[in-house]
Amino acid sequence: MMNLIHWRLLVAVADASNISRAAEEVGMTQSGASQAIAQLEASLGFAVFTRERRHIGVTALGERVVKEARSMLARLDAIRVLADESRGLNGGRIRLASFPSVTSTFLPGLLRDFKRLHPEIEVVVLEGTDQEVEEWIAADTVDLGVVMNPTPGRADAILGQDAWVAVLPAGHRQARDARARGITLEELADQPFVLATGGCAVNGKSLMEQAGLRLSDVRVTVRDWISACLLVREGMGVALIPESALPGELRGLCVVPVTPSLCREFGVVCSPGGKSSRATQTLLEGLSKMKRSA
């Protein structure tokens, strides 16, 4: 059955002439997008696209379908604008603060979906360290802030969580055993260490301290997670990295779970000013619905 995401995907493919880029735009995997296009064409009973080696074209009949789909989506967006205007949301602006690893992983899909539902609400993302985010929330500089490991009851919505993993050079003496059973913090504490912070107070050093351990041989400290992985690949040491922050290319690296498992949770906290903003509360409602349906 064709649904709204099928039509958005169809228009995105026509615009990008590429399924991979279109899939990314609408928040799907490439395989899922290819399957959805095949289902759409099967439902219509004719080909919308022509497929060449490095290019996706549109058939003559497909051009007419794409035109109607654009019109339908535009009318839907117009209806949503009317709905937002009736609720006093037209022209709303939300200032959302976050730190880099969340900005690049958890937020893009969320903000893309919110923009589709409320095209007249502008979301401005401010990026800083987790300490800066806390300061901006307290000073009412932002409407919402993403905080790490919020205390129970503090967060207005939970974005999600990810696990900490150990990153070792592929040729590390413990790599084979660690792949099978994981690795403990105790086993990592005395090894040459690449300390990555990601601009956050919660990092490899603080995790060790919380476990009553101490890093005895920190070879280099960097802020960027990817830089840490590159240094590990060069044999500078081992590192603790959030799973969501791992690079796409893992060649030369051995990524293993930490045992017992360690996770970090991301919550969204509303500032005093954000509590009186209709646009901000609308975003929070959307987050809560997303969490319930997950």
Side-chain angles (χ1 to χ4, degrees):
M1 178 181 294
M2 290 180 288
N3 55 37
L4 186 59
I5 192 68
H6 282 86
W7 295 115
R8 291 197 183 280
L9 176 64
L10 179 142
V11 172
V13 172
D15 288 342
S17 299
N18 182 282
I19 289 182
S20 296
R21 290 197 296 271
E24 183 178 353
E25 181 180 334
V26 302
M28 298 177 70
T29 64
Q30 180 178 350
S31 60
S34 296
Q35 185 177 12
I37 290 295
Q39 291 173 347
L40 186 147
E41 290 181 322
S43 180
L44 291 173
F46 57 84
V48 176
F49 299 106
T50 60
R51 292 155 177 84
E52 300 175 12
R53 186 174 181 181
R54 295 185 179 179
H55 179 78
I56 300 293
V58 184
T59 65
L61 193 52
E63 291 280 6
R64 296 169 61 185
V65 173
V66 171
K67 179 180 178 180
E68 294 296 337
R70 288 189 198 279
S71 178
M72 176 185 65
L73 293 172
R75 288 196 295 270
L76 178 61
D77 286 343
I79 291 171
R80 285 173 171 159
V81 169
L82 288 174
D84 283 348
E85 287 176 346
S86 72
R87 299 165 61 194
L89 296 174
N90 190 25
R93 190 169 185 262
I94 302 170
R95 299 160 298 172
L96 172 62
S98 181
F99 39 92
S101 59
V102 172
T103 304
S104 61
T105 55
F106 287 85
L107 288 182
L110 162 69
L111 298 181
R112 180 185 59 237
D113 293 343
F114 183 74
K115 186 66 176 178
R116 287 193 190 122
L117 291 172
H118 304 283
E120 295 302 304
I121 299 178
E122 180 186 9
V123 181
V124 178
V125 178
L126 287 76
E127 191 172 88
T129 65
D130 55 347
Q131 182 58 43
E132 287 173 331
V133 172
E134 292 282 7
E135 293 171 355
W136 293 337
I137 295 171
D140 218 7
T141 303
V142 298
D143 302 297
L144 294 170
V146 178
V147 301
M148 190 186 301
N149 300 330
T151 55
R154 185 189 179 204
D156 294 275
I158 299 298
L159 278 182
Q161 65 176 24
D162 67 349
W164 289 92
V165 294
V167 183
L168 288 65
H172 192 280
R173 55 185 173 79
Q174 290 178 265
R176 180 179 297 179
D177 289 342
R179 282 194 180 97
R181 61 176 178 81
I183 195 166
T184 66
L185 292 181
E186 288 84 355
E187 291 174 294
L188 295 169
D190 293 330
Q191 301 197 37
F193 205 89
V194 177
L195 177 59
T197 67
C200 300
V202 180
N203 53 58
K205 183 174 183 290
S206 65
L207 290 173
M208 290 290 180
E209 292 171 347
Q210 290 168 19
L213 302 168
R214 177 177 173 274
L215 291 174
S216 61
D217 187 10
V218 177
R219 296 290 175 92
V220 62
T221 299
V222 296
R223 175 170 175 169
D224 183 64
W225 304 113
I226 303 299
S227 296
C229 290
L230 293 174
L231 291 169
V232 170
R233 180 179 294 160
E234 295 302 317
M236 289 289 293
V238 302
L240 280 169
I241 304 289
E243 191 170 26
S244 64
L246 288 170
E249 174 57 66
L250 297 177
R251 179 179 51 84
L253 299 174
C254 174
V255 178
V256 297
V258 174
T259 181
S261 63
L262 293 171
C263 292
R264 57 179 194 164
E265 185 177 62
F266 308 110
V268 180
V269 174
C270 193
S271 70
K275 293 184 185 300
S276 61
S277 164
R278 289 187 180 182
T280 301
Q281 295 306 308
T282 298
L283 177 55
L284 285 174
E285 290 168 10
L287 287 173
S288 298
K289 290 177 181 177
M290 179 186 70
K291 184 66 176 178
R292 288 196 298 269
S293 62

